[in-house]
Amino acid sequence: MPPYAIFMDIDGTLVDHSQIPTQATVDAIAKFRAAGNLFFIASGRPLFSAR
C-alpha cells in the first residue's frame, strides 16, 4: 500500500497558545512517520518560525 501523506497547520492544530506541541502530538507524528507515511507542515509562518 502506498504511504499516506498528511499536511497539517500549526496554530490551533499542532500547538496552542504555548507554541509547543504536546508530547502526545510528537509521539503520534513519530508513530505515523515510523509506519512509512509522510507528514508535512503547511503554514503561513516564515520557515524560521515553523521550525
Side-chain angles (χ1 to χ4, degrees):
M1 172 168 37
Y4 291 98
I6 290 181
F7 294 79
M8 187 74 58
D9 183 43
I10 295 175
D11 298 312
T13 306
L14 294 177
V15 301
D16 58 14
H17 64 279
S18 71
Q19 299 299 301
I20 299 170
T22 65
Q23 190 59 51
T25 298
V26 172
D27 293 345
I29 293 169
K31 183 176 178 181
F32 180 77
R33 293 183 69 213
N37 299 300
L38 305 170
F39 183 85
F40 300 93
I41 293 177
S43 176
R45 288 183 178 207
L47 181 58
F48 74 88
S49 179
R51 287 187 178 172

